[in-house]
Every structure is written in C-alpha cells, then in structure tokens.
Amino acid sequence: MGGTVDLTVEFTGGLEMLFSDQRKHKISIPAEESKGQPATVAFLIQWLCDNLMKDPRKEMFVLDDSVRPGILVLINDADWELEGEDKYEVQAGDNIVFVSTLHGG
Amino acid sequence: MAFTSITDQITLLRSQIAATESQLSKLRAQLSAAESRVETARHLEQAYQGGFPAEWIGETLSALTSEDLHGFPGYAAATPGGAGSPDDIARSIRHETGRAEKEFVAAPEPVRSRWPLSGEEYRRYGRQMIMKEVGLHGQLRLKQAKVLVVGCGGLGCPAAAYLAGAGVGTIGLMDGDTVEASNLHRQIAHSTSRVGLSKVESAYEYLRELNPLPNYERHPFHLSPSTALEVFSAYDMVLDCTDHPTSRYLISDTCVLAGKTLVSASALKTEGQLIVLNNPPKAPGDPTGGPCYRCVFPKPPPADSVLSCGEGGILGPVVGVMGVLQALEAIKLLTSPSNPSINGNGLDPFDQQASPRTSMLLFSAYSSPQFRTIRMRARHASCAACSSVATITPQQLTDGSLDYAAFCGLTTPINLLSPQTRITAAEFARLPRDGSNVLIDVRDETQYAMCALRGSINVPWPGSGQKWVEAAVQKGALPVDGAGRELFVVCRYGNDSQLAVKAIQDAVDGGPSGTSVNVRDIRGGFRAWREEVDGEWPEY
Ligand SMILES: [Zn+2]
C-alpha cells in the first residue's frame, strides 16, 4: 500500500548517545517491508540503523541481525518477549523503548 | 607533736563530714524513692478504685518493674545489697496499695516472655509497626530475616542502612574494596575519616551506630564462585549491589541454585534499574518460579559496551534512590505473610497466591516521567540457570569450572601502538613550548572544562576514528598537508588517545601516498601526567 506508520521510539541507558543524544524520537516508517509484509520490530530495528542512527558504531546497537546482548526492547511498556519479540507487527501510536542495561553501582 | 595531732584531727573531721554527707545524700535519695513509690501506689489505688481493670494494673506494674524503675530517681542509691530489685519494689508497691499478689491477674514477669519484642524495639520500630503493612508480625519477620548485601558501595550503603534501620535481624555485608575519597559523594555509610578502611568494616561501623540491635555478618572479600553457594545458603534473601556483569551473573546463578530471592539494582550517570529476580525462588525447572538474570539477559553485553561509574560518572542521589528502593522491595517481601522465601514463624498460615508478575523499574532523573515500570517475561524455557534444561550446577559453580570473567569478556588496558608512536608524560613535559608541537586532548567537553593544559585543542573522541579525524581537521588540529609540526594526543587514562593516534595513522595510510605525519600518544594520559609531572593536577 505504501503507507507509513507513526511511532515513538525511545533510547535509554546510554543508547541515546548513539542517536544524536536524544532520548525520544517521533518517526514514520514504511507500513510494509520490501516483500510486502507488515512492518515488524525486526524491520524497525534495521530501519533505525539505516535512517536514524548517525553514530557509526552500529555494533553498539545491532549484532547478528538483532539488538546486541544487553539491550531490552519494550513494546508499550512490556518486554518484547511478551509480544512476540521481533515478529511483533508495529501499530500506529506504538511506543517502543530500547534500554541498555546498566551495571554500575 | 601537738601540731601533728591537730592536722590528724582535721583529716579525721574532714573524712567524717564526707561520710556523713554521703550518708545524707543516700538518705535523701531513699526518701525521694519512697515518696515516689507512695505516689505511684496512690495513683494505682485511685485508678483501681476508679475502675482501672486489674489486668491493666498487672501490665502497668510489669512495665514499671522492667523499664521505668531503672530510671527511677534515686533507685540505684536506694537499693543497697540488691534489696530494691524491680520485683522487690513491685512487691512493696503491692504491699503499700494493700493488694495481695493474687489479685493481680497477670503476675509481673520478665519482659522477654511477656512481649515478643523488647521495649527498645517497640520504641525504635513503632513508627513502621503501627502500619498495617508491617505490624507486629511483619516486624517479627524482619527480625528473623537474614539478608545478604553484596557490594557496599553506592547501592549497598543506602540499602543496608534502611535494612538495619528497619530491624532486619541479620545483615551480611560483602565487599573486597577499601573506601576512597571518590566514593563519598554517594556511598553514605563511609566517611572521610575512614578512607583506606575496608568498605565492609566502614559500613559495619556506620550501621552499628545507626542500630546496634541487628546481627552484622562481615564478609570483607569479593564474591567468588567457589564460596558463593556456602555464603548465600546462610541467608534468606540477597541484594545485588555490585557494579559489573560478571558479579551479576554469578550472584543470579547462585541465588537460583540456593533458592534465594534476589533484589537487583544498578545505576549509571542519571539512570537506574531495579528488578526482583527468582521471586518466588522455586527450584530450577519449575516454571512458576520468577525469572533469573539469565532469563532476562541470556547473553552478556560486549565488554566494551559496559561502562563503570568511574568511567561514565554517577550522580549520588540517583544511585541512592536505587539502593533505597532495593531496601524497600526487600522489606515488602520480608514482611509479606505470603512470602515463601522466609520460614514462617507460625503466626500466619501461608496464603498461596499466584506468583507475582515480575516487573522492572526504570528510573531516569532527567526524563519525564522519571519512573516507569515495565512488565517482564516469566522464566525462560531454555535458561541455562533456572529452566528444566539448565546446565549450571552447584558442582560446576563450586569447583570453579564456570569462568564468569571469560563469559563476560575481559577489558584489559589496550595496547595498540608501537613504542615509537608513544611518549611518556615526563618526556612530553620536557619538550619545547615553542609552537613546534600540537597537543590534542580527546576527553569530552565536560572533562576538558574541568582541567586542561594551556594551548591544547579539544577534539572529543566520538567512538569512531573516521568521525574523529573529520572533527580534528575541522578544528584545525590536524595539518592538512600532514607535514611540519609534531602531534601529541592525550586523554584521561591513555586508551582513547591510542585509538585517536591509530585513526590518524589509518587516515594517512588511506590518503595520498608519500604523506606522513608525526603523531604520538601520551602513555597513561592525565593520570600519568599527574603522577610523573604535575602532582597538583586534579585527580578525578
Ligand atoms: Zn533463568
């Protein structure tokens, strides 16, 4: 269809450094992947890497085709595992948060 | 002779006067005690005549005998030979009020058997005990509880302080570090006078002063896989207040194997995270148990993505909030009648509730809202620690075959450059200051503003060589033709400076042939500068 989906993405736990030092971004992504499938979180992650991330250190965000270990993905305040992980199809208005775990104490 | 006898007489008179005065003061004290007793007796008599229930008189007398009479004016002076023990005084009050012993329904007994807690404990914990969330039963549960605090730093100090204040009966303190001045802005149990002391000893001194009633167990060493199970088995609950993934996996694995609930928190810069793991602490393979750290983070983060508080910075109240929240979650769990992790005291039957849903609390001091709670997964069906296909066993843990440092990756000081492209701080200090060399400082703007060498150019290291070279060229720090002046690069510890030198070398190699650039990094950065050249350089 060629439409777009409006989402809010947030980066915390230090990940915001990779995204122009800005925590909250309002974005519009294609509603469909190249193969015509509805856009999933996996597609969103790739889209963020290609379009929103200005920092060249891609390995700090993605590793082996998914978010790197130590990053939690939250879909509307729930761990993404509760929502189908990267196969979750994004909906307009979704709030998707990427949290890097902290270790300091 | 006569003179001597007069002085003797004076001495004798003096001692007689002193003895008489002492006796007089004793008599006064006895009089005052007797008057007070008569007064007390009169009040009791009036109360009794006025309908004061007999049971209350018993309790009132008991309270008098155990507490108030110790502070009774003249009590100590009026009781030679122990004739005025609290029981004796109570007996004499009964005599004075004309009440025979049998008329008192509850005969005065030592406090310990009359009340489950001491008078001191009622006074100290009363403000939390009068809340229905705690109550007497909750307080007794706290008193029975044994909680281990692993790490006595920014999280452990406030967490242990609130646990001690609340009257947790046994508090274990574990840490292998010593107190440093850079700890004091956030590690509230330590103090300036205790810099250099073991953190466990320092925290123990603070906590004992705060509340001498709990039993404090000191473990002044770092947690190791070989001893972790043995140490944890002596406790009901564990608080992870450490600062590295290595210890976080080890603590979680040990909690799963030992069946302990784990209250885990972390903080960095302006943010914190809190999660209660292995709650309830069911056996590995039982899907109704709470998830463990490995369920949430099956793979450790790459070592170079892990920032410590020393590297990334930490705001004191941020880590303080997280430590206080750990104590709060621990108190909630320990006082809960349905908490299966604490052996019941027989006062309440366990009420079998559904397993609590695990959630994680995120705190971000500069965001709005500051707090957000996220729903977390249950136990992972293939978790290496807590699932039915778990591979981590007590034997493995104890015999040291699990290498946590290797699992999480080791960060060793990097050594990228050949010796020819490095210079010591002392050597750099002897170079002429005639404009023939350029010093590039790659620390971030905030640190550069704290202290910098005059004439240096600040080009912060952004994590990528290409971006840095572009920025350096833009700021005029790099000669466009590559010839001429010598370049030196410095940072805080001497790691980023090597990366920057490497980036310049790569850029030159990839550029037009024949160009060369003379660039070196200062070994050990400003830490070395302070040690070798300028002792007054701020240490931070
Ligand atoms: Zn697990």
Side-chain angles (χ1 to χ4, degrees):
Chain A
M1 290 294 287
T4 58
V5 187
D6 292 343
L7 307 168
T8 307
V9 290
E10 288 180 63
F11 303 94
T12 78
L15 284 179
E16 65 278 8
M17 287 195 306
L18 304 175
F19 292 87
S20 321
D21 251 327
Q22 188 184 327
R23 286 176 204 275
K24 199 179 261 191
H25 300 254
K26 294 203 177 291
I27 57 168
S28 292
I29 67 164
E32 290 174 358
E33 304 180 32
S34 51
K35 292 170 199 151
Q37 302 293 313
T40 60
V41 170
F43 174 74
L44 168 69
I45 290 167
Q46 194 53 51
W47 187 92
L48 292 171
C49 230
D50 297 340
N51 297 278
L52 195 65
M53 188 174 176
K54 300 284 184 281
D55 197 289
R57 290 172 292 176
K58 305 289 180 193
E59 76 283 358
M60 297 290 273
F61 185 56
V62 285
L63 212 59
D64 303 329
D65 289 335
S66 190
V67 288
R68 74 151 164 80
I71 294 180
L72 287 176
V73 185
L74 313 172
I75 299 170
N76 300 323
D77 282 342
D79 184 346
W80 73 340
E81 183 167 286
L82 300 171
E83 307 287 344
E85 296 200 32
D86 62 354
K87 289 172 195 64
Y88 172 82
E89 293 172 9
V90 293
Q91 315 288 320
D94 275 351
N95 180 267
I96 298 180
V97 185
F98 297 89
V99 188
S100 176
T101 54
L102 307 173
H103 297 283
Chain B
M1 281 299 279
F3 183 73
T4 317
S5 78
I6 287 170
T7 41
D8 283 351
Q9 206 177 347
I10 290 171
T11 310
L12 185 66
L13 283 168
R14 278 199 177 133
S15 72
Q16 280 176 347
I17 288 168
T20 311
E21 277 177 346
S22 146
Q23 204 176 354
L24 190 62
S25 92
K26 275 185 190 162
L27 286 169
R28 286 209 178 102
Q30 283 181 22
L31 175 67
S32 150
E35 283 172 352
S36 288
R37 273 185 286 161
V38 171
E39 183 76 355
T40 307
R42 200 168 54 80
H43 286 316
L44 280 173
E45 178 66 15
Q46 281 175 354
Y48 187 62
Q49 301 298 345
F52 194 64
E55 293 89 337
W56 292 15
I57 296 179
E59 293 192 2
T60 309
L61 274 178
S62 167
L64 276 170
T65 55
S66 64
E67 303 284 331
D68 299 28
L69 287 185
H70 290 289
F72 205 66
Y75 167 65
T79 54
S85 75
D87 282 349
D88 291 337
I89 293 178
R91 202 167 294 129
S92 75
I93 291 174
R94 282 182 215 116
H95 181 74
E96 283 161 27
T97 55
R99 301 280 153 214
E101 195 140 352
K102 61 177 175 4
E103 282 186 63
F104 294 90
V105 172
E109 288 168 11
V111 149
R112 215 156 286 170
S113 60
R114 271 191 62 79
W115 304 105
L117 295 170
S118 72
E120 164 67 11
E121 288 169 308
Y122 285 102
R123 270 191 296 276
R124 187 179 278 267
Y125 309 126
R127 297 290 161 87
Q128 67 187 33
M129 282 175 70
I130 59 175
M131 305 191 332
K132 68 172 167 45
E133 288 82 357
V134 179
L136 174 63
H137 294 175
Q139 193 63 49
L140 291 171
R141 284 195 186 89
L142 288 176
K143 190 177 178 177
Q144 284 186 332
K146 301 184 181 77
V147 178
L148 175 64
V149 178
V150 188
C152 299
L155 295 166
C157 285
Y162 278 94
L163 293 179
V168 169
T170 299
I171 299 171
L173 304 167
M174 182 183 269
D175 203 312
D177 286 340
T178 54
V179 178
E180 294 176 18
S182 66
N183 302 148
L184 299 178
H185 82 294
R186 66 190 190 282
Q187 303 185 12
I188 56 159
H190 309 313
S191 66
T192 307
S193 65
R194 293 202 287 268
V195 167
L197 194 67
S198 133
K199 283 192 178 177
V200 164
E201 278 308 313
S202 170
Y204 169 65
E205 282 188 26
Y206 171 89
L207 296 170
R208 205 181 38 176
E209 181 74 18
L210 176 68
N211 187 354
L213 300 177
N215 165 38
Y216 298 103
E217 297 289 343
R218 285 168 280 174
H219 309 282
F221 42 78
H222 288 299
L223 185 66
S224 79
S226 55
T227 56
L229 258 182
E230 193 188 331
V231 174
F232 281 28
S233 62
Y235 294 90
D236 304 310
M237 181 179 287
V238 176
L239 268 56
D240 184 347
C241 302
T242 64
D243 59 0
H244 198 273
T246 311
S247 48
R248 295 194 178 274
Y249 281 102
L250 170 57
I251 290 170
S252 174
D253 290 349
T254 310
C255 279
V256 169
L257 293 172
K260 313 296 177 188
T261 291
L262 170 60
V263 183
S264 182
S266 58
L268 187 70
K269 298 185 183 188
T270 62
E271 300 188 324
Q273 296 167 355
L274 172 80
I275 186 168
V276 180
L277 295 163
N278 202 32
N279 177 42
K282 298 285 175 65
D286 184 340
T288 64
C292 75
Y293 195 74
R294 278 184 200 269
C295 293
V296 184
F297 304 110
K299 284 191 214 163
D304 56 5
S305 74
V306 176
L307 274 184
S308 72
C309 291
E311 296 157 341
I314 179 70
L315 205 52
V318 169
V319 68
V321 161
M322 302 317 294
V324 172
L325 285 171
Q326 278 183 289
L328 173 62
E329 290 307 316
I331 289 169
K332 278 164 62 183
L333 286 167
L334 294 170
T335 54
S336 159
S338 60
N339 178 26
S341 70
I342 306 301
N343 293 324
N345 50 26
L347 292 169
D348 269 341
F350 285 162
D351 104 59
Q352 288 292 335
Q353 293 176 337
S355 296
R357 171 105 239 165
T358 297
S359 63
M360 185 189 255
L361 182 73
L362 307 179
F363 172 62
S364 180
Y366 286 74
S367 298
S368 179
Q370 286 181 316
F371 288 96
R372 106 196 275 165
T373 302
I374 55 180
R375 290 179 290 130
M376 296 303 295
R377 66 192 72 182
R379 277 190 175 179
H380 205 293
S382 60
C383 175
C386 72
S387 71
S388 57
V389 294
T391 53
I392 293 165
T393 65
Q395 288 74 23
Q396 270 188 311
L397 195 68
T398 313
D399 69 18
S401 58
L402 289 168
D403 189 340
Y404 285 88
F407 174 64
C408 294
L410 281 169
T411 42
T412 46
I414 64 166
N415 202 356
L416 279 177
L417 305 174
S418 65
Q420 295 91 315
T421 55
R422 312 202 69 184
I423 186 172
T424 66
E427 285 164 351
F428 178 77
R430 288 194 290 271
L431 293 177
R433 304 278 175 91
D434 56 2
S436 63
N437 53 60
V438 176
L439 178 65
I440 308 175
D441 186 332
V442 299
R443 295 173 303 156
D444 63 32
E445 294 91 341
T446 313
Q447 291 182 49
Y448 187 77
M450 279 169 62
C451 49
L453 285 176
R454 192 173 299 168
S456 63
I457 303 171
N458 185 214
V459 185
W461 177 252
S464 129
Q466 200 191 333
K467 275 191 106 177
W468 184 80
V469 169
E470 283 168 21
V473 169
Q474 233 171 36
K475 290 197 177 180
L478 294 185
V480 182
D481 55 3
R485 301 185 300 175
E486 281 188 278
L487 299 177
F488 296 91
V489 184
V490 68
C491 67
R492 188 173 172 197
Y493 295 131
N495 289 335
D496 288 349
S497 58
Q498 294 183 61
L499 295 170
V501 167
K502 185 85 175 31
I504 296 175
Q505 290 171 340
D506 290 349
V508 169
D509 288 347
S513 61
T515 54
S516 72
V517 63
N518 189 351
V519 56
R520 287 185 272 179
D521 98 301
I522 296 178
R523 268 181 204 272
F526 279 115
R527 179 158 57 188
W529 179 259
R530 183 188 144 78
E531 284 163 7
E532 299 169 22
V533 181
D534 182 0
E536 288 179 15
W537 187 264
E539 184 185 22
Y540 65 91

PDB file of all heavy atoms in Angstrom, chain A residues 67-80:
ATOM      1  N   VAL A  67      19.041  -6.836  18.153  1.00  0.00           N
ATOM      2  CA  VAL A  67      19.692  -5.893  19.062  1.00  0.00           C
ATOM      3  C   VAL A  67      20.808  -6.629  19.792  1.00  0.00           C
ATOM      4  O   VAL A  67      20.717  -7.823  20.044  1.00  0.00           O
ATOM      5  CB  VAL A  67      18.701  -5.278  20.068  1.00  0.00           C
ATOM      6  CG1 VAL A  67      17.788  -4.289  19.387  1.00  0.00           C
ATOM      7  CG2 VAL A  67      17.914  -6.349  20.795  1.00  0.00           C
ATOM      8  N   ARG A  68      21.868  -5.918  20.132  1.00  0.00           N
ATOM      9  CA  ARG A  68      23.009  -6.570  20.767  1.00  0.00           C
ATOM     10  C   ARG A  68      22.626  -7.036  22.173  1.00  0.00           C
ATOM     11  O   ARG A  68      21.691  -6.501  22.779  1.00  0.00           O
ATOM     12  CB  ARG A  68      24.202  -5.614  20.829  1.00  0.00           C
ATOM     13  CG  ARG A  68      24.063  -4.514  21.872  1.00  0.00           C
ATOM     14  CD  ARG A  68      25.418  -4.051  22.396  1.00  0.00           C
ATOM     15  NE  ARG A  68      25.311  -2.780  23.097  1.00  0.00           N
ATOM     16  CZ  ARG A  68      24.898  -2.641  24.355  1.00  0.00           C
ATOM     17  NH1 ARG A  68      24.498  -3.701  25.046  1.00  0.00           N
ATOM     18  NH2 ARG A  68      24.851  -1.444  24.914  1.00  0.00           N
ATOM     19  N   PRO A  69      23.330  -8.059  22.677  1.00  0.00           N
ATOM     20  CA  PRO A  69      23.044  -8.506  24.042  1.00  0.00           C
ATOM     21  C   PRO A  69      23.162  -7.337  25.019  1.00  0.00           C
ATOM     22  O   PRO A  69      24.023  -6.473  24.862  1.00  0.00           O
ATOM     23  CB  PRO A  69      24.145  -9.539  24.310  1.00  0.00           C
ATOM     24  CG  PRO A  69      24.542 -10.035  22.966  1.00  0.00           C
ATOM     25  CD  PRO A  69      24.381  -8.859  22.030  1.00  0.00           C
ATOM     26  N   GLY A  70      22.275  -7.332  26.008  1.00  0.00           N
ATOM     27  CA  GLY A  70      22.314  -6.250  26.994  1.00  0.00           C
ATOM     28  C   GLY A  70      21.350  -5.131  26.678  1.00  0.00           C
ATOM     29  O   GLY A  70      21.280  -4.153  27.403  1.00  0.00           O
ATOM     30  N   ILE A  71      20.605  -5.259  25.561  1.00  0.00           N
ATOM     31  CA  ILE A  71      19.575  -4.262  25.256  1.00  0.00           C
ATOM     32  C   ILE A  71      18.200  -4.926  25.397  1.00  0.00           C
ATOM     33  O   ILE A  71      17.962  -6.003  24.844  1.00  0.00           O
ATOM     34  CB  ILE A  71      19.726  -3.690  23.830  1.00  0.00           C
ATOM     35  CG1 ILE A  71      21.031  -2.886  23.718  1.00  0.00           C
ATOM     36  CG2 ILE A  71      18.536  -2.792  23.476  1.00  0.00           C
ATOM     37  CD1 ILE A  71      21.262  -2.287  22.342  1.00  0.00           C
ATOM     38  N   LEU A  72      17.333  -4.288  26.180  1.00  0.00           N
ATOM     39  CA  LEU A  72      15.953  -4.751  26.302  1.00  0.00           C
ATOM     40  C   LEU A  72      15.096  -3.963  25.336  1.00  0.00           C
ATOM     41  O   LEU A  72      15.275  -2.755  25.196  1.00  0.00           O
ATOM     42  CB  LEU A  72      15.416  -4.493  27.709  1.00  0.00           C
ATOM     43  CG  LEU A  72      15.931  -5.357  28.847  1.00  0.00           C
ATOM     44  CD1 LEU A  72      15.339  -4.850  30.148  1.00  0.00           C
ATOM     45  CD2 LEU A  72      15.552  -6.809  28.612  1.00  0.00           C
ATOM     46  N   VAL A  73      14.160  -4.639  24.686  1.00  0.00           N
ATOM     47  CA  VAL A  73      13.219  -3.953  23.818  1.00  0.00           C
ATOM     48  C   VAL A  73      11.846  -4.009  24.488  1.00  0.00           C
ATOM     49  O   VAL A  73      11.389  -5.083  24.863  1.00  0.00           O
ATOM     50  CB  VAL A  73      13.158  -4.605  22.424  1.00  0.00           C
ATOM     51  CG1 VAL A  73      12.262  -3.790  21.500  1.00  0.00           C
ATOM     52  CG2 VAL A  73      14.550  -4.735  21.829  1.00  0.00           C
ATOM     53  N   LEU A  74      11.245  -2.851  24.661  1.00  0.00           N
ATOM     54  CA  LEU A  74       9.951  -2.778  25.330  1.00  0.00           C
ATOM     55  C   LEU A  74       8.912  -2.272  24.348  1.00  0.00           C
ATOM     56  O   LEU A  74       9.104  -1.238  23.717  1.00  0.00           O
ATOM     57  CB  LEU A  74      10.021  -1.818  26.517  1.00  0.00           C
ATOM     58  CG  LEU A  74      11.231  -2.015  27.425  1.00  0.00           C
ATOM     59  CD1 LEU A  74      11.299  -0.899  28.448  1.00  0.00           C
ATOM     60  CD2 LEU A  74      11.157  -3.364  28.101  1.00  0.00           C
ATOM     61  N   ILE A  75       7.842  -3.032  24.225  1.00  0.00           N
ATOM     62  CA  ILE A  75       6.753  -2.623  23.357  1.00  0.00           C
ATOM     63  C   ILE A  75       5.601  -2.179  24.252  1.00  0.00           C
ATOM     64  O   ILE A  75       5.037  -2.995  24.979  1.00  0.00           O
ATOM     65  CB  ILE A  75       6.336  -3.776  22.419  1.00  0.00           C
ATOM     66  CG1 ILE A  75       7.540  -4.170  21.546  1.00  0.00           C
ATOM     67  CG2 ILE A  75       5.139  -3.374  21.572  1.00  0.00           C
ATOM     68  CD1 ILE A  75       7.350  -5.428  20.752  1.00  0.00           C
ATOM     69  N   ASN A  76       5.317  -0.913  24.229  1.00  0.00           N
ATOM     70  CA  ASN A  76       4.262  -0.341  25.085  1.00  0.00           C
ATOM     71  C   ASN A  76       4.406  -0.813  26.535  1.00  0.00           C
ATOM     72  O   ASN A  76       3.487  -1.340  27.144  1.00  0.00           O
ATOM     73  CB  ASN A  76       2.877  -0.673  24.528  1.00  0.00           C
ATOM     74  CG  ASN A  76       2.706  -0.113  23.124  1.00  0.00           C
ATOM     75  OD1 ASN A  76       3.189   0.980  22.828  1.00  0.00           O
ATOM     76  ND2 ASN A  76       2.057  -0.869  22.260  1.00  0.00           N
ATOM     77  N   ASP A  77       5.605  -0.611  27.071  1.00  0.00           N
ATOM     78  CA  ASP A  77       5.926  -0.917  28.472  1.00  0.00           C
ATOM     79  C   ASP A  77       5.888  -2.395  28.825  1.00  0.00           C
ATOM     80  O   ASP A  77       5.721  -2.752  29.987  1.00  0.00           O
ATOM     81  CB  ASP A  77       5.036  -0.116  29.437  1.00  0.00           C
ATOM     82  CG  ASP A  77       5.517   1.326  29.564  1.00  0.00           C
ATOM     83  OD1 ASP A  77       6.679   1.586  29.206  1.00  0.00           O
ATOM     84  OD2 ASP A  77       4.721   2.176  30.007  1.00  0.00           O
ATOM     85  N   ALA A  78       6.041  -3.254  27.834  1.00  0.00           N
ATOM     86  CA  ALA A  78       6.165  -4.683  28.124  1.00  0.00           C
ATOM     87  C   ALA A  78       7.401  -5.226  27.413  1.00  0.00           C
ATOM     88  O   ALA A  78       7.705  -4.823  26.285  1.00  0.00           O
ATOM     89  CB  ALA A  78       4.929  -5.444  27.678  1.00  0.00           C
ATOM     90  N   ASP A  79       8.090  -6.126  28.093  1.00  0.00           N
ATOM     91  CA  ASP A  79       9.206  -6.841  27.494  1.00  0.00           C
ATOM     92  C   ASP A  79       8.741  -7.420  26.152  1.00  0.00           C
ATOM     93  O   ASP A  79       7.679  -8.033  26.074  1.00  0.00           O
ATOM     94  CB  ASP A  79       9.606  -7.964  28.460  1.00  0.00           C
ATOM     95  CG  ASP A  79      10.831  -8.728  28.004  1.00  0.00           C
ATOM     96  OD1 ASP A  79      11.231  -8.594  26.835  1.00  0.00           O
ATOM     97  OD2 ASP A  79      11.377  -9.475  28.836  1.00  0.00           O
ATOM     98  N   TRP A  80       9.517  -7.269  25.104  1.00  0.00           N
ATOM     99  CA  TRP A  80       9.041  -7.677  23.776  1.00  0.00           C
ATOM    100  C   TRP A  80       8.777  -9.171  23.691  1.00  0.00           C
ATOM    101  O   TRP A  80       8.046  -9.608  22.821  1.00  0.00           O
ATOM    102  CB  TRP A  80       9.968  -7.176  22.668  1.00  0.00           C
ATOM    103  CG  TRP A  80      11.303  -7.863  22.540  1.00  0.00           C
ATOM    104  CD1 TRP A  80      11.942  -8.601  23.489  1.00  0.00           C
ATOM    105  CD2 TRP A  80      12.156  -7.868  21.392  1.00  0.00           C
ATOM    106  NE1 TRP A  80      13.132  -9.043  23.021  1.00  0.00           N
ATOM    107  CE2 TRP A  80      13.307  -8.623  21.727  1.00  0.00           C
ATOM    108  CE3 TRP A  80      12.078  -7.305  20.113  1.00  0.00           C
ATOM    109  CZ2 TRP A  80      14.359  -8.820  20.836  1.00  0.00           C
ATOM    110  CZ3 TRP A  80      13.137  -7.509  19.225  1.00  0.00           C
ATOM    111  CH2 TRP A  80      14.260  -8.262  19.591  1.00  0.00           C
TER     112      TRP A  80
END
